[in-house]
Amino acid sequence: MTECSIKRILNPGVIVLRRFLPVLAAFLLGSFAQADEYDTLRLKWFDTLVGTGYDTQDPVVISKLNSIASSANSNWSSMDKSPARTFLWSDLASTTVSAHITDNYNRLRAMAIAYATPGCSLAGNATLLADTVAGLDWMHANRYNPTKSIYSNWWDFEIGSPYRLMDIVVMLHDQLTPTQRANYTDAVNKFTPSAMTPAPGGTTGSFTGANRMSKIRVVAVLGTVIKDSSKLVNARDAFSNLFEYVTSGDGFYEDGSFIQHIDFPYTAGYGQGLISTIAPVFSLLSGSTWAVTDPAQANMYRWVHDSFEPIIYRGAAWDLVRGRFVSAPNSSPQSVGHEIMDSILEMTQFAPPADAVRMKSMLKEWVLSDTARDFVAQRPLATLALARELVADPGVVRRGELIGHYSFPAMDRGVHLGKGFGFGLSMCSTRIANFESINDNNLRGWFTGDGMTMLYNADLTAFTDAYAPTVDAYHLPGVTADVTHNKLPHTSSSIGVRAQGQDTRSPHSWVGGAKLDNYGATGMQFKGVGVTLTGKKSWFMFDDEVVCLGAGITSTDSRPIETTVENRKLNNAGNNAFTVNGATKPNTPGWSETLSSVNWAHLAGIASAGDIGYYFPQAASLSAVREARTGTWAEVDAGSSTSPITRNYLRMGFEYGNNPTNATYQYVLLPGRTAARVAHYAAQPQITVLTTTPTCRP
C-alpha cells in the first residue's frame, strides 16, 4: 500500500471509527498481538489526545486541523536533521537548563499529533514520522534517559518531560519498535516511578495539589503502555490523597480556596492545571479494573461550585487567582477560563446526574454570556462535539447570572458578584504571600497582593489584550503604594529571574471578612515590602455599590505615597468619556489634571453596560491622567517578545505627598451606572461613612 493510499484512508469525510488509525497501523506493521484491557485504555487515551467523531469537512474542524499542521510544520522545518547534530532546535540546546528538555518534547509532541490526527494534512506522513522518531531517539541518547540526573528544575524531569513523552508514545505506539518504547518508558519510569514517592534526586514537595495530579497522569499512561497493573493501582490510589481537603499548604480548602507552593492563591493557575488533568485521567480509568472508587471523589464535584464557579466571570478567570501566570503572553483570563470550562464539560460525562445537570447549566450560562471569546470555536477536537451539544441542547437551562459574596479566607481573596458586575480583592497576610515570581514570570507583580481590586463588567477585555505588560504596575486599582520606591533589578536563581519582594508575607494577620446573605465586608492591615508604609483598608460590598475606605496610611521614607482609585484600560482610541462633577474632561491621551473638590466621577465603558461611577463621600482632591502606555511582554515575562505594545489607560487616585501620617481615603464604586445616575446618587447617597480611623470605636 502506498503512502498516498494511506492518506486517502486517513482523510475520510467523516471520522467514525475512533480507533481506526492505530488499528490500521498495527495491520500495516504486521502486529497481531492480542488486545487486552491495557490496549483498550491506551487506545482510549489516544482518542483523548487526537479526538474522535468529527467531520473533516466542517469549517471549524478544518481550521483546527490546519492549525495542527501549521504548528507541526513550523517545528519540523526548524528542526536540525543533520547526522552530526548537537541539538534538535538551536534555541533549545542547553544541557544545564532543564526546561529545554520539556520544550524539545513539546515540539516533538506537536509533530506526533499532526501525524496521528485523522484528517490532518500530515496524517500518516512517513517522512514526518521518521524525523519525529529520530528526534525521540536523539533525546533519549543525549538528554533524557535512565543514566541522567536531575538538574536545574525537578519539574522538567518528573512532570514536564514524561507528561509529553508518554503522550507521544501513545500516539506513535505501533510505529515504534519494542526497543524504542522500552527506552522511552524506562526513562519515564526512572524519574516518575510513582505518584506518591519521589524519584532519585527528586523532591518530596512534588506530590501535592496540581503536581500530584500531573504525576498521576504520567504513571497512569505509563501503566497502560508497559502493561503494568501496579502502576495503574498506584495512580488510582494516589487520587485519595488528592481528594482530601487540606488545612495548610497545597490543595483545596473547605472554604473554596486553592493553594499551591505553600502560600500562593492559584485556583485559576495550578488549580486549573489540576482540574484539566483530573477530568481525562478519571475518565480514562472509569469502567476499568482500576476505576477510582474512593467515595471522597464527591469532593471533586464540590470543587467545581465552591472553588471554580465564583472565580469565573462570564467565561473569564480572575487574575487574582492566576498567580505568576498572569504574565504569560499566550494566556488570558478568557483562555484560562475556557480551559477550566472545558475540563468541567468533560466531568459532566462521568459526574453523578444531579451534579452533571448543575454543571451544564453553569457552563451554558458562561458560554452564552461571554462576548469576548467564542468558547465552542476554541474547543480542541476532543471536546468540540461536547461543546456544540451543550449549546444546542434545549434541555440544558442557563443558570442565570450568579449573585453573591464569596470569601476565601484561606487564600486572602474575596469575590463579590452583583447584577452586571464582579468585584475582586487580592490581599496578603502572615498566612499568604504577596505574589509569586519564579521561572522568569510575573516580574512586575510587586503590588498585586497589597489590596489590589478588580472590577469586571460588560467590558470583558479590561484585564486582557496585553494588560499585564502595559498597565502601570505602581498604580494598580485599590493599592496604596510608595510609588517611586525602586523595585529593580530583578534577582537571579537557578531557574530564572524573579521580581524583588516576591514570596513575602505581611507581618499582619488582620486580613479577612464576613458576609450577610449577598453582602460582604472585608478588612486588611497592610505593610509595604522594603518600605515603612503601613495602613488599613476596608471594603463594604452591597448589591450595586462597593464602599472602599483607607485609614492610618503612614510612611517615613520621604517618598510620595498614593492610593489608586482607578487605572482602567480604555478603547483603542483612548477617548472614553470621563466626567467629573458633571464636566466632561479632555479625551486626548496625555491629558492630566489635579482635580479638586471631586464629589463624583464617571468613566464611560467600551461596551454597553461597561460604565463605572465613582462617588466621594468627602469632597476629594485627586490626580487624574489619561495616558498611552507602552510596554513589552519581556518586561513581565523574561524571554518573551520585546516588541513594544501600546494601550490606553485612565488613572486617578489620592496623593498624600511625602511622609503622610494617618492619611485616609473614601470612595464608592458604582458599576453600570450612567453619568446621570451617578450624579443622582451623589446628590442622594445610599451610604454614610461613620469613621475612617486606624482604630474604629463605637
Side-chain angles (χ1 to χ4, degrees):
M1 186 177 289
T2 67
E3 182 183 331
C4 290
S5 62
I6 293 175
K7 285 186 177 180
R8 283 197 294 272
I9 294 175
L10 293 178
N11 288 282
V14 179
I15 304 300
V16 178
L17 300 178
R18 301 201 298 174
R19 303 189 179 98
F20 185 70
L21 178 61
V23 171
L24 172 65
F27 174 78
L28 294 174
L29 293 173
S31 174
F32 298 100
Q34 183 176 1
D36 53 26
E37 190 172 11
Y38 298 105
D39 294 319
T40 299
L41 292 183
R42 174 172 53 78
L43 294 172
K44 189 176 181 181
W45 192 252
F46 178 93
D47 288 347
T48 298
L49 297 174
V50 304
T52 181
Y54 46 84
D55 180 358
T56 58
Q57 303 306 308
D58 182 325
V60 174
V61 173
I62 291 173
S63 175
K64 294 182 184 303
L65 292 173
N66 289 341
S67 178
I68 291 171
S70 176
S71 177
N73 272 319
S74 176
N75 294 327
W76 190 16
S77 63
S78 61
M79 182 183 186
D80 187 343
K81 308 173 189 68
S82 61
R85 61 188 171 187
T86 57
F87 51 75
L88 297 184
W89 286 275
S90 59
D91 61 331
L92 300 177
S94 175
T95 57
T96 59
V97 178
S98 60
H100 284 197
I101 304 175
T102 299
D103 291 342
N104 271 290
Y105 280 123
N106 209 39
R107 292 180 186 180
L108 291 170
R109 183 180 184 274
M111 293 163 64
I113 287 176
Y115 174 84
T117 299
C120 178
S121 60
L122 293 174
N125 187 299
T127 307
L128 173 63
L129 173 65
D131 287 340
T132 303
V133 174
L136 292 171
D137 286 339
W138 189 92
M139 286 295 293
H140 176 77
N142 297 280
R143 294 289 187 271
Y144 192 72
N145 62 58
T147 70
K148 299 295 183 180
S149 298
I150 292 175
Y151 59 83
S152 188
N153 190 343
W154 66 266
W155 183 90
D156 293 295
F157 284 87
E158 299 182 37
I159 293 177
S161 297
Y163 196 102
R164 290 151 179 79
L165 180 54
M166 288 313 307
D167 283 354
I168 297 171
V169 172
V170 167
M171 288 186 285
L172 304 183
H173 182 274
D174 293 328
Q175 286 74 37
L176 301 172
T177 67
T179 298
Q180 287 170 325
R181 291 198 297 265
N183 285 342
Y184 310 153
T185 56
D186 284 350
V188 172
N189 195 41
K190 174 188 174 175
F191 294 109
T192 313
S194 165
M196 295 185 281
T197 56
T203 172
T204 57
S206 63
F207 299 98
T208 57
N211 289 331
R212 187 182 191 89
M213 188 59 238
S214 293
K215 290 201 166 188
I216 290 173
R217 182 192 196 271
V218 171
V219 173
V221 179
L222 175 64
T224 68
V225 172
I226 65 175
K227 301 191 175 185
D228 186 337
S229 178
S230 67
K231 296 293 183 186
L232 289 161
V233 168
N234 178 271
R236 178 199 65 198
D237 293 348
F239 272 101
S240 293
N241 176 274
L242 194 70
F243 291 143
E244 296 176 4
Y245 283 106
V246 300
T247 56
S248 64
D250 296 353
F252 286 97
Y253 289 70
E254 290 273 9
D255 68 4
S257 299
F258 179 84
I259 297 293
Q260 193 78 38
H261 292 176
I262 302 175
D263 54 6
F264 296 106
Y266 258 121
T267 315
Y270 285 96
Q272 176 267 317
L274 189 155
I275 196 172
S276 69
T277 307
I278 201 172
V281 176
F282 197 92
S283 179
L284 171 70
L285 300 179
S286 295
S288 76
T289 300
W290 305 278
V292 180
T293 58
D294 189 334
Q297 65 183 267
N299 289 340
M300 178 171 59
Y301 308 114
R302 285 186 57 191
W303 301 342
V304 171
H305 300 290
D306 295 346
S307 299
F308 291 101
E309 187 169 17
I311 60 92
I312 295 180
Y313 185 80
R314 292 176 58 177
W318 291 81
D319 272 355
L320 52 85
V321 287
R322 290 181 60 208
R324 74 180 198 271
F325 301 120
V326 298
S327 70
N330 58 350
S331 176
S332 71
Q334 279 80 16
S335 66
V336 173
H338 286 192
E339 288 171 6
I340 294 171
M341 291 161 60
D342 195 68
S343 303
I344 296 173
L345 182 60
E346 288 186 76
M347 291 175 67
T348 63
Q349 302 306 295
F350 55 78
D355 290 298
V357 168
R358 184 180 175 188
M359 285 189 270
K360 287 180 179 180
S361 177
M362 174 188 70
L363 288 169
K364 195 164 191 175
E365 176 64 31
W366 286 336
V367 171
L368 298 181
S369 64
D370 188 347
T371 56
R373 195 170 192 261
D374 187 333
F375 173 76
V376 175
Q378 297 297 325
R379 291 311 85 222
L381 291 172
T383 55
L384 177 61
L386 284 179
R388 284 175 162 168
E389 179 183 332
L390 172 78
V391 174
D393 187 351
V396 177
V397 180
R398 290 178 64 171
R399 178 202 62 193
E401 186 173 19
L402 183 64
I403 304 294
H405 183 84
Y406 299 86
S407 181
F408 302 100
M411 62 179 182
D412 290 350
R413 294 295 188 267
V415 171
H416 182 75
L417 302 173
K419 185 174 178 57
F421 76 96
F423 178 77
L425 284 169
S426 177
M427 302 166 288
C428 63
S429 65
T430 55
R431 304 170 298 276
I432 296 299
N434 54 349
F435 71 103
E436 183 175 50
S437 173
I438 60 173
N439 295 352
D440 300 334
N441 306 139
N442 201 23
L443 299 179
R444 292 190 175 178
W446 307 310
F447 301 102
T448 48
D450 289 352
M452 179 186 72
T453 63
M454 303 187 77
L455 181 62
Y456 264 108
N457 55 22
D459 287 344
L460 294 181
T461 61
F463 303 105
T464 186
D465 183 31
Y467 177 81
T470 57
V471 71
D472 184 344
Y474 281 91
H475 291 93
L476 299 178
V479 171
T480 300
D482 187 327
V483 295
T484 63
H485 180 240
N486 187 18
K487 299 293 185 180
L488 299 172
H490 310 307
T491 59
S492 297
S493 73
S494 62
I495 54 173
V497 298
R498 54 186 65 184
Q500 283 190 28
Q502 78 95 26
D503 197 9
T504 300
R505 298 192 193 189
S506 166
H508 303 298
S509 61
W510 190 75
V511 174
K515 64 171 291 185
L516 176 64
D517 298 327
N518 291 332
Y519 295 168
T522 298
M524 174 190 188
Q525 186 172 7
F526 71 92
K527 166 69 171 63
V529 176
V531 298
T532 62
L533 175 63
T534 60
K536 294 182 179 179
K537 294 174 175 288
S538 294
W539 299 270
F540 298 87
M541 293 152 277
F542 303 112
D543 52 352
D544 58 358
E545 61 205 336
V546 178
V547 182
C548 308
L549 306 177
I553 298 169
T554 301
S555 172
T556 60
D557 294 317
S558 299
R559 289 187 299 267
I561 306 299
E562 299 181 23
T563 294
T564 302
V565 173
E566 185 62 278
N567 196 356
R568 194 76 172 179
K569 188 156 64 68
L570 305 176
N571 60 29
N572 292 335
N575 61 1
N576 300 51
F578 181 55
T579 306
V580 178
N581 291 346
T584 301
K585 296 299 178 179
N587 64 0
T588 304
W591 165 82
S592 66
E593 184 178 333
T594 298
L595 308 170
S596 59
S597 301
V598 180
N599 186 227
W600 65 272
H602 177 270
L603 178 62
I606 299 173
S608 175
D611 293 8
I612 306 173
Y614 312 87
Y615 165 62
F616 299 90
Q618 294 180 342
S621 176
L622 302 168
S623 63
V625 178
R626 187 188 293 268
E627 58 183 343
R629 290 189 52 81
T630 299
T632 70
W633 281 108
E635 291 171 336
V636 295
D637 195 87
S640 297
S641 173
T642 58
S643 299
I645 305 169
T646 300
R647 297 292 183 268
N648 297 294
Y649 289 84
L650 188 289
R651 169 167 59 86
M652 65 173 166
F654 297 88
E655 294 182 340
Y656 307 110
N658 297 343
N659 301 328
T661 300
N662 289 330
T664 66
Y665 64 80
Q666 302 178 9
Y667 64 93
V668 181
L669 298 175
L670 301 169
R673 280 180 166 83
T674 63
R677 290 185 62 207
V678 176
H680 182 267
Y681 183 96
Q684 301 180 33
Q686 303 300 303
I687 61 96
T688 300
V689 178
L690 300 178
T691 184
T692 49
T693 59
T695 303
C696 183
R697 296 183 177 89

